[in-house]
């Protein structure tokens, strides 16, 4: 499958935007990704190993959090996983 | 430093005027080269914070994914974001900082007073992790493309505006 890396995290993938790897499910893809690029780990996961709250994971067009099987959702070579940190803010406190 | 063409600079300011008294938001596409974020395109985004649009903004991840796909197709990257502060200074807030996660990207803020775009500042989200991230004032270099007579040296006029210290 393909994993798309957002601009700030490409510093940890040797500048690559798209990583192609083989995995059975979403969780497996993340393990494979952070095994290949260990420096990514602390940016994606909390010290307890959970995905950081502001990191959105989309399998094709679906938020992984809302998939029935979440991290266990099966993936195939044609699937795309996008890592996208949130964009938000606002003025005055 | 943020390098942006005048038309794009004016377009992001105009966006803030249009959405006043609500905050506007959008994405800056371009390339980051030698510490300079060069903007090639700006993409308007919807503000999903309809509950509190006068002082909050949020871009839906689905929309971001579409924008990132568009960038990839064009050979560009997301290099920054912009939003407006209706009737408040063009300075980052505690919320802006807490919710900023794109290290290396430029966060552009325009103050819109009574519906007029006043000051536009850019802040670079510097650092390496969530724990040591910080906003740094960033100068904005505005490129004005000029129609040229053939004997005049072709090129651009560059204006450098330094972040408003207010
Ligand atoms: Zn703000």
């Amino acid at each position: 499958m393909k994993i798309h890396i957002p601009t700030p995290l490409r510093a940890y993938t040797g500048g690559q935007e798209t990583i192609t790897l083989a995995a059975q499910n979403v969780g497996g893809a993340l393990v494979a990704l952070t095994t290949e690029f260990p420096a990514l780990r602390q940016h994606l996961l909390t010290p307890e190993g959970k995905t950081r709250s502001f990191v959105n994971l989309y399998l094709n067009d679906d938020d992984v959090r809302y998939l029935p099987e979440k991290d266990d959702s099966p993936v195939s070579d044609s699937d795309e996983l996008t890592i996208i940190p949130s964009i938000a803010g606002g003025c005055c406190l | 430093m943020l390098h942006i063409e005048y038309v794009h600079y004016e377009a992001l300011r105009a966006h803030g005027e249009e959405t006043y008294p609500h905050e506007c938001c959008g994405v800056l596409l371009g390339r980051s080269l030698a510490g300079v974020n060069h903007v090639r395109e700006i993409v308007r985004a919807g503000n999903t914070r309809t509950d509190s649009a006068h002082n909050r903004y949020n871009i839906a991840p689905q929309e971001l994914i579409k924008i990132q796909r568009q960038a990839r197709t064009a050979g560009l990257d997301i290099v920054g974001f912009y939003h407006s502060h209706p009737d408040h200074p063009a300075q980052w807030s505690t919320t802006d900082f807490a919710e900023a996660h794109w290290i290396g990207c430029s966060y552009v803020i325009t103050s819109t007073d009574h519906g007029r775009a006043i000051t536009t500042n850019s802040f670079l989200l510097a650092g390496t992790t969530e724990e040591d991230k910080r906003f740094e004032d960033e100068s904005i270099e505005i490129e004005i493309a000029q129609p040229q007579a053939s004997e005049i040296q072709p090129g651009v006029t560059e204006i450098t505006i330094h972040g408003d210290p207010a």
Side-chain angles (χ1 to χ4, degrees):
Chain A
M1 73 176 313
K2 282 182 175 158
I3 303 184
H4 296 296
I5 310 294
T7 332
L9 297 185
R10 290 181 209 157
Y12 310 103
T13 60
Q16 296 177 81
E17 197 274 347
T18 306
I19 308 295
T20 304
L21 48 76
Q24 305 289 321
N25 54 38
V26 171
L30 291 174
V31 170
L33 179 70
T34 52
T35 302
E36 190 171 349
F37 304 102
L40 269 180
R41 202 184 150 79
Q42 63 157 320
H43 300 281
L44 296 177
L45 306 176
T46 63
E48 296 76 43
K50 288 194 149 184
T51 306
R52 286 184 183 259
S53 58
F54 59 84
V55 175
N56 299 296
L57 292 174
Y58 272 69
L59 180 58
N60 303 314
D61 288 316
D62 297 311
D63 189 333
V64 171
R65 276 184 285 248
Y66 300 116
L67 290 175
E69 297 176 82
K70 300 190 165 61
D71 275 10
D72 295 329
S73 305
V75 298
S76 69
D77 284 355
S78 61
D79 284 326
E80 300 194 7
L81 185 70
T82 303
I83 299 170
I84 199 121
S86 61
I87 310 295
C91 88
C92 340
L93 301 176
Chain B
M1 183 192 284
L2 182 75
H3 187 102
I4 185 169
E5 278 178 39
Y6 181 73
V7 285
H8 294 140
Y9 178 78
E10 276 305 306
L12 68 85
R13 285 165 57 82
H15 192 192
E17 295 185 340
E18 285 171 39
T19 61
Y20 181 90
H22 296 159
E23 294 197 13
C24 71
C25 49
V27 182
L28 309 175
L29 304 185
R31 298 307 297 239
S32 184
L33 300 165
V36 179
N37 284 330
H38 293 261
V39 179
R40 302 274 164 77
E41 276 179 47
I42 71 165
V43 184
R44 290 181 172 206
N47 182 359
T48 65
R49 288 299 301 270
T50 47
D51 58 315
S52 191
H54 65 289
N55 67 358
R56 289 290 181 273
Y57 79 97
N58 180 72
I59 303 177
Q62 292 92 330
E63 191 170 12
L64 271 178
I65 285 174
K66 260 188 227 150
I67 294 169
Q68 187 166 270
R69 208 173 276 152
Q70 175 187 338
R72 192 158 60 236
T73 308
L76 302 175
D77 301 317
I78 291 175
V79 296
F81 310 95
Y82 69 88
H83 72 282
S84 61
H85 281 180
D87 298 318
H88 284 282
Q91 289 295 315
W92 55 270
S93 68
T94 314
T95 305
D96 284 333
F97 180 69
E99 308 230 6
H101 306 295
W102 288 66
I103 289 168
C105 284
S106 298
Y107 284 74
V108 174
I109 303 175
T110 299
S111 59
T112 51
D113 293 351
H114 300 94
R116 293 274 321 275
I118 308 295
T119 308
T120 298
N121 289 325
S122 186
F123 306 95
L124 177 73
L125 188 64
T128 55
T129 65
E130 274 301 298
E131 288 68 40
D132 73 356
K133 71 179 183 181
R134 62 192 179 273
F135 270 135
E136 290 178 353
D137 291 356
E138 178 177 59
S139 60
I140 302 177
E141 188 174 62
I142 300 170
E143 179 180 315
I144 300 174
Q146 290 186 324
Q148 298 291 330
S150 58
E151 70 272 21
I152 301 172
Q153 191 185 343
V156 295
T157 300
E158 289 180 350
I159 306 170
T160 300
I161 296 180
H162 292 282
D164 189 334

